Amino acid sequence: MTDVLVEIQRLQHTDKAAAEGLLRDFIAETFPLEVSAVELRPLAVSLNSFNGFVTLADGHRMFFKTHTEPNAVISEFYNSALLLKVGYSMLEPVFSSIEAGHQLLIYEVVEQPSVFDVAWQIETGAAGPETAEAMTVAQRECDRHLTEIYARTLQWQESTSAEAAPVHQLFHHRLTGARFASYYPEQATVLFPGARIGIPDLLDKHWVINNSRYDKTLNELIAEAGELLQPGRSGPAVVGHGDAHNGNLFFFEQERRLLYFDPAFGGLHDPFLDLAKPLFHNTFAMWMYYPQAKADELTIDVTITDSVISVTHDYRLPDLRLMFLRSKMTETLAPLVRELSDRGWLPDDWRRRLKSALFCCPLLTKNLADGAAFPPAIALLGFSQAIEMGAESGDPRSLLDSCLDEVEASL
């Protein structure tokens, strides 16, 4: 039974009826509920999760959500009570199961859409400037509130407590465990536009992206991230959601506020790890959710020599994505870095650690070598972004490095 949620997540896209049958049995066995029906909602944002509605025998309808993590090292997820206690504006579950392999939360239905859905509507022109303005106000206020929570909960965490934090499942455990090994085995190849390259060769080359040379290969970044993201590392910690990308927040347009849910990886952990998922996924990653749509509007070229992969592309971020990035940088990351510096707790390698966590996001959320999931242009863009997230750019500076330079200058 421990793999049933993973199977449901996989089947929702190919055999929805079978997935719903498995889920109905799971809910009936796990919770004290008489289930009449379940309805899965396969969404673009559901890369490692599923959600939908359950109807009870009395006609009452509820909403469910879970994150699935095959080969999880962590044994317990969903520290909802802790996040609510420290002041997160968060939807409280009515029923919850938090054991690894059985983690599922059931909520009262919320009619408001997720930030992910509304942001995509804004980006594609389906929602107008008034909605974009409301989203901007809500995001900045949410990030300011997050900074207040960080300041209130900031404490020194010893190595034993740090090692047990669920958030490491998203980074170190994926990188050093079965996920990386299954995504990028040595015998695999990756199809780029006009070129095919084997994994060992791909990992060992340097990159030039839009005329900027990056200082590390993928192999070097993997080794560095394995070291910098070690779970058993004492240091400053905050109470964080852990996976606060836009798919895990509801948007209340009239009130101009955001509401967190699905805190699968919430707890006391490194604040730089806490910021990695929203920084990457809310800003850079729409190619991951809508690969064909982004491929259709993308121009990207590659030249591969014995030692270098040279890429030119015109992937640019819409204003809304830049807003998400700047809000997190100015309202949360910069104040956090200053606070840690004032306390004498700012690690010398904080920037490298953050970039290592960001590097894991494009590389390990989905398999970039999967040609069925990603067209060749998007596979190339995904690996390019992994390099941009993890390595330091030359001249010209990357958008990420320019923002981090500004944060460092604020000290």
Side-chain angles (χ1 to χ4, degrees), residues 29 33 65 68 109 130 145 152 170 241 252 279 305-306 334 338 345 352 361 363:
E29 293 169 4
L33 300 172
K65 173 77 189 290
T68 58
V109 172
E130 298 85 0
H145 185 230
R152 288 200 307 271
L170 297 172
H241 183 281
F252 293 73
L279 273 173
T305 67
D306 288 343
R338 290 194 294 269
W345 285 0
R352 297 298 318 145
C361 294
L363 189 70

Side-chain angles (χ1 to χ4, degrees), residues 88-324:
Y88 279 86
S89 177
M90 195 175 73
L91 185 64
E92 188 169 2
V94 181
F95 300 99
S96 62
S97 174
I98 63 174
E99 179 187 352
H102 289 76
Q103 61 269 22
L104 185 77
L105 268 59
I106 300 178
Y107 305 91
E108 295 294 353
V109 172
V110 174
E111 299 297 340
Q112 280 72 17
S114 70
V115 176
F116 178 91
D117 290 336
V118 178
W120 182 243
Q121 290 169 6
I122 295 169
E123 184 172 335
T124 57
E130 298 85 0
T131 301
E133 174 60 23
M135 178 74 75
T136 300
V137 172
Q139 183 65 55
R140 288 177 176 163
E141 179 55 35
C142 185
D143 287 336
R144 292 186 191 108
H145 185 230
L146 179 62
T147 300
E148 293 171 3
I149 292 174
Y150 279 5
R152 288 200 307 271
T153 63
L154 182 60
Q155 59 192 273
W156 191 263
Q157 187 176 36
E158 298 300 336
S159 60
T160 302
S161 172
E163 188 170 16
V167 75
H168 297 300
Q169 191 66 53
L170 297 172
F171 305 107
H172 189 268
H173 298 327
R174 285 181 174 180
L175 183 67
T176 61
R179 181 169 289 207
F180 179 85
S182 65
Y183 281 5
Y184 308 114
E186 287 191 3
Q187 66 272 22
T189 61
V190 184
L191 183 62
F192 290 155
R196 184 180 290 273
I197 184 169
I199 290 296
D201 200 17
L202 173 68
L203 299 182
D204 203 39
K205 292 188 186 297
H206 281 89
W207 290 68
V208 176
I209 304 170
N210 286 343
N211 297 316
S212 179
R213 186 178 180 90
Y214 287 77
D215 69 343
K216 289 182 173 65
T217 66
L218 287 167
N219 263 334
E220 290 169 334
L221 291 172
I222 290 163
E224 182 175 57
E227 180 63 30
L228 290 175
L229 301 178
Q230 284 282 348
R233 169 173 161 160
S234 60
V238 297
V239 174
H241 183 281
D243 193 23
H245 62 76
N246 284 341
N248 285 334
L249 290 106
F250 290 114
F251 176 51
F252 293 73
E253 182 170 354
Q254 295 304 314
E255 297 92 332
R256 298 189 172 194
R257 70 181 181 93
L258 308 184
L259 180 70
Y260 293 90
F261 69 106
D262 192 33
F265 302 95
L268 183 67
H269 51 238
D270 186 317
F272 298 110
L273 297 187
D274 196 61
L275 287 171
K277 295 289 282 189
L279 273 173
F280 178 76
H281 286 271
N282 297 352
T283 299
F284 298 98
M286 295 315 292
W287 58 265
M288 187 181 293
Y289 300 104
Y290 297 102
Q292 192 57 59
K294 288 300 180 181
D296 289 344
E297 63 187 36
L298 176 68
T299 300
I300 189 166
D301 296 296
V302 62
T303 301
I304 302 176
T305 67
D306 288 343
S307 59
V308 177
I309 297 176
S310 297
V311 180
T312 57
H313 66 76
D314 60 358
Y315 186 74
R316 299 292 180 267
L317 299 180
D319 289 345
L320 185 74
R321 303 296 161 185
L322 293 171
M323 180 277 290
F324 287 131

Side-chain angles (χ1 to χ4, degrees), residues 139 143 275 278-279 324-330 332-333:
Q139 183 65 55
D143 287 336
L275 287 171
L279 273 173
F324 287 131
L325 177 65
R326 288 167 180 154
S327 181
K328 272 287 186 292
M329 287 284 177
T330 60
T332 304
L333 181 61

Side-chain angles (χ1 to χ4, degrees), residues 358-375:
L358 290 167
F359 164 70
C360 289
C361 294
L363 189 70
L364 296 170
T365 301
K366 298 297 288 184
N367 181 0
L368 296 177
D370 181 359
F374 296 113

Side-chain angles (χ1 to χ4, degrees), residues 53-79:
F53 300 97
V54 56
T55 303
L56 305 183
D58 63 1
H60 186 60
R61 196 163 180 254
M62 305 186 81
F63 173 75
F64 61 80
K65 173 77 189 290
T66 189
H67 184 104
T68 58
E69 192 73 18
N71 308 115
V73 175
I74 303 299
S75 61
E76 186 169 299
F77 298 86
Y78 289 106
N79 292 308

